[in-house]
Each structure stands twice: as C-alpha cells, then as structure tokens.
C-alpha cells in the first residue's frame, strides 16, 4: 500500500511515527519544499525572503542621525532630538518585545511579519507629511510607528531559520536573515546624505527630505503587497522530527511563559545576554553619533560619514555570512563567538587611536571596515549561540530577549557616549567603549560550552 504525504502528516501529528515514516517524510520534504526553502535562504529577489522586509524597517533607523547637522538646521532642533530618532528604536523595543514575542510564538511567522510590514508602511507614509520646519513632531510620530514595528521583525531570522531549515543549515540561514537588517542599515547610511544635501536654502533641504520620504514609503508599500501575496509561515512539513515536536509543544499559549522562566534561569544564556547586549549597544552608539564624530575631524564631509557607515555595515554583512558558514562547517559556537568578540575589542582600540592620529579619511574607511566585519558580523553568531544554549526553547523568544538587552545597552551607551563626546571629546568617549567591550569579552569567555541543539543533531545521526 502506497502512502500519500497527507498520511505522513497525520502520522506526525499523532506522534506515532515509525522509522520508515520518518525517512519517507524526509524524502517528501526534499522533493516538495527544498526548492522553496532555498529560495528563502539564497540572496535573490524572492519576496518570501525576509531580508527586504527587514531592510525596509532598519533603513529608517539611522536616516536622520547620519545627516544630523542638516536635520538640526531644517527643523531647528537640538542634536539630542535628532539622536532620539535613532534611540526611539531602542526605547520602544524594550516594552514591546515581550508581547511581540508572545504573538510570534502564538500566531506564527506570517502574523508577525505582516504586523511589522503594516506598521513600517504606516510610519513611512506619516513621515511624508512631516516636511515642514515646524513638523518635527510629525516626523517623530512616523519614526515611532516604524520603531515599534521592528519588534515584530528582529526576532524573525532565528525563527525562520529553525522552522525552514535542518539543524546543520540553520546558522547559514540565520546569518542571511540578519543580512537583511544590515542591508537596510547600509542603505540608511548611504542614501540620506545623497538625497538630502546641506544647503543654505531651507527649501532645498525640504525637497531632499520629501524625495527621501516618498521613496521609502513607496518601497515599504511594495514590500507589504509582496508579503501579502507570497509569504508562507512554515513549510508543509517540518525540516526534521525534532522541529515537528517543538512546533506541537509551542502551540500552547502557556509555552511562552514557561520558556521565559527557563531562559532567565539559564546561566550560560544570561552571560551571553549581557555580553551580546554590550557589543551591539556599542555598535548602536557609534552608528548614532557617527556623523558628529567624523565631522569633528573632517568638516563638511557628511557624505563621507554616510559612506564610512556603509563600509562598516557592508563589511559586517560579509562577516555575518562568513561566520554563518564557519559555524555550519565547524560547529565551534563558543570559539567563534569568543574570537569575533575579541577582534571587535581590538578593532575599537585601533579605531580610537587612528581617529585622532590621521588626517587621511581613507584610513578611517579601512579601520571602520575592519571594525564592522567583526562587530556587526557578530550579530548572527550571537543569535545562533543563544539558540544552542537554550534549545529547545523557541528561537524567537531567545532572540527577542537578546535584542531587548541590546536596546537597553544601546540607550545607555548612546547617552553616555554622546555626553562624553561633547564634554570630554571623542578620545575619552571611545576609551569608554573600549572598557565596556573588554568587559563583554570576559563575559563571553566564561560562557559554558553547552551546545544542546548539537547534541540532538548528533543523537539523530546515531539513530539513523
């Protein structure tokens, strides 16, 4: 008697699978959805790939701060007010990530992605109507909508990778998912200085802002339509038997609160939580104030400030992909995490002393790129190490808490870094960042090497 794929799905749901059933499910999985699965993983124009949705949100995070000197002139506001357009991403994330993580676990990927896309599009269109020197409050409202929407987006890559890919592929898949967020930040660094140029004529600045806001609003609208038409929450069959079991367990609402309790009592995860938050918090602080740092040494170089930020992110995107491949090939999660963190620490030291000792801006590009390769390349590494330490808890929840801690440290470090920058100068401000990254490196080194997900993978291989 020949069994159909529906028979195997029913067998899975009843949790009474024979070894033959499990093997047949894998065969059906390979033929029926492997192509679509790799469309999600590969860097292409498939709208089911989340990188463009993530990019449409993250590109707006830094779009004001990277042209801070121009925005302060046009809206007649302080630099702190402009910094707040970036920090609002961090401030709103902290209270909203918990309900967002619950909704992700409860209703799945499609619900979370659609919610994030709708909010991002709404905020983008609000900003279109903020182009007037007396409407900074309107642009801030629009930015707040976009900021809240990110809570439904940032935790998606880890969950997407786990739902669609087998255990020996999730690191590469997650790294490419994080790639989208970095791609958006890169766009946010590059295009605002090109579209909104410094000009004594306020109306010319307004035209640049209008063009920027319309382009972003149109892009987010297109992305929403494509997600509505094409995005799928999960494959017809789970990539492996372990994932099928987890999906069944996670369908109960109480699972979210049980997971939260387990996460906050996991010592290794808590150490990673603080070390990850420190690293990304430092990155947030540098990114938010990069325009002000560069213009101190190279006046009227707004475009270079944006391009240096672009260099940081592009190098980080390469670092993300490289680290994802290294993790999949070596399975050395702690070693990779520790190594990348230590190089980030060395990178910020070199950046600190190079900035004050050179008058060649090209040198800053090189050093910033090296720093970005490790600092932003660390993002998917931290996600995947967290998934290893906390398995089988939902990846969206562990990633959500990591991101929440990043926002806490991002607010703290951006505030302190900005204060030191204006009171003590950039050297001592950067020394502060060196000290906190040294602390983060120490915390990373003492994290226990408890790779729970890898143990499941090895056991499944032995059983086969």
């Amino acid at each position: 008697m020949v069994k159909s794929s529906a028979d195997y799905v029913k067998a899975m749901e009843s949790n009474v699978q024979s070894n033959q059933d499990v093997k047949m499910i894998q065969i059906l999985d390979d033929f029926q959805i492997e192509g679509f699965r790799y469309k999600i993983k590969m860097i292409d124009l498939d709208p089911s790939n989340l990188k463009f949705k993530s990019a449409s949100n993250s590109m707006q995070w830094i779009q004001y701060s990277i042209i801070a000197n121009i925005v302060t002139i046009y809206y007649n506001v302080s630099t702190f007010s402009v910094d707040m357009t970036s920090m609002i991403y961090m401030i709103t994330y902290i209270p909203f990530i918990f309900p967002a993580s619950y909704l992700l676990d409860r209703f799945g990927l499609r619900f979370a992605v659609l919610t994030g896309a709708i909010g991002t599009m709404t905020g983008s269109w609000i900003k279109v109507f903020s182009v007037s020197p007396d409407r900074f409050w309107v642009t801030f409202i629009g930015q707040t909508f976009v900021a809240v929407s990110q809570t439904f987006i940032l935790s998606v890559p880890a969950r997407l990778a786990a739902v669609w890919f087998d255990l020996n592929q999730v690191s590469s898949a997650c790294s490419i998912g994080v790639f989208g967020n970095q791609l958006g930040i890169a766009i946010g660094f590059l295009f605002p200085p090109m579209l909104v140029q410094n000009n004594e004529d306020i109306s010319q600045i307004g035209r640049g802002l209008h063009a920027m806001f319309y382009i972003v609003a149109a892009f987010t609208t297109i992305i929403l339509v494509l997600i509505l038409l094409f995005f799928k929450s999960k494959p017809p069959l789970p990539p492996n038997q372990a994932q099928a079991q987890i999906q069944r367990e996670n369908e109960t609402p109480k699972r979210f609160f049980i997971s939260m309790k387990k996460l906050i009592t996991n010592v290794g995860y808590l150490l990673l939580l603080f070390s990850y938050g420190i690293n990304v918090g430092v990155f947030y602080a540098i990114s938010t104030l990069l325009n002000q740092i560069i213009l101190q040494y190279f006046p009227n170089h707004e475009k270079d400030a944006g391009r240096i930020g672009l260099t940081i992110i592009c190098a980080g995107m390469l670092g993300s992909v490289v680290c994802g491949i290294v993790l999949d090939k070596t399975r050395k999660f702690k070693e990779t995490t520790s190594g990348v963190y230590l190089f980030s620490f060395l990178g910020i030291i070199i950046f600190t002393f190079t900035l004050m000792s050179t008058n060649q801006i090209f040198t800053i590009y090189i050093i910033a790129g090296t720093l970005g390769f490790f600092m932003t390349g660390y993002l998917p590494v931290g996600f995947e190490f967290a998934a290893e330490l906390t398995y089988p808890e939902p990846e969206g929840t562990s990633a959500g808490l990591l991101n929440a801690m990043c926002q806490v440290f991002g607010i703290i470090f951006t505030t302190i870094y900005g204060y030191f920058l204006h009171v003590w100068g950039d050297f001592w401000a950067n020394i502060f960042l060196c000290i906190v990254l040294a602390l983060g490196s120490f915390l990373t080194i003492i994290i226990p090497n408890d790779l729970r997900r890898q143990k499941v993978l090895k056991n499944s291989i032995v059983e086969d």
Side-chain angles (χ1 to χ4, degrees), residues 322-343:
V322 170
C323 290
I325 294 173
V326 168
L327 288 179
D328 278 337
K329 296 295 184 182
T330 66
R331 307 285 92 193
K332 301 292 185 181
F333 288 84
K334 180 177 178 180
E335 293 83 351
T336 304
T337 304
S338 300
V340 172
Y341 212 114
L342 287 171
F343 278 112

Side-chain angles (χ1 to χ4, degrees), residues 104-232:
L104 172 61
D105 289 341
R106 184 72 179 90
F107 298 107
L109 283 167
R110 180 175 171 83
F111 175 85
V113 171
L114 278 176
T115 302
I118 292 170
T120 300
M121 184 198 70
T122 302
S124 300
W125 280 105
I126 289 174
K127 287 192 279 188
V128 168
F129 301 98
S130 70
V131 183
S132 176
D134 61 346
R135 294 182 191 170
F136 184 77
W137 63 275
V138 177
T139 208
F140 199 83
I141 290 174
Q143 187 76 341
T144 302
F145 266 88
V146 179
V148 172
S149 302
Q150 72 155 339
T151 59
F152 293 93
I153 297 171
L154 285 185
S155 300
V156 165
R159 171 62 65 87
L160 183 73
V163 169
W164 279 92
F165 293 89
D166 211 342
L167 294 178
N168 62 348
Q169 300 170 327
V170 291
S171 296
S172 296
C174 182
S175 68
I176 294 176
V178 174
F179 180 97
N181 186 68
Q182 295 170 316
L183 174 65
I185 298 173
I187 295 171
F189 275 121
L190 178 63
F191 286 103
M194 295 172 60
L195 294 171
V196 187
Q197 298 186 20
N198 204 348
N199 198 305
E200 294 181 359
D201 186 356
I202 295 295
S203 64
Q204 289 296 326
I205 297 177
R207 290 189 186 96
L209 289 171
H210 229 151
M212 180 174 69
F213 293 148
Y214 265 118
I215 291 171
V216 172
F219 180 61
T220 57
T221 303
I222 292 170
I223 293 297
L224 174 60
V225 172
L226 293 177
I227 288 173
L228 283 168
L229 292 175
F230 296 105
F231 182 74
K232 290 178 171 56

Side-chain angles (χ1 to χ4, degrees), residues 421-437:
L421 194 64
H422 292 104
V423 176
W424 291 354
D426 65 283
F427 176 76
W428 290 108
N430 287 326
I431 289 295
F432 163 73
L433 297 184
C434 293
I435 292 172
V436 296
L437 275 179

Side-chain angles (χ1 to χ4, degrees), residues 382-393:
F383 275 156
E384 285 303 291
F385 196 21
E388 291 291 337
L389 293 170
T390 60
Y391 189 87
E393 304 310 317

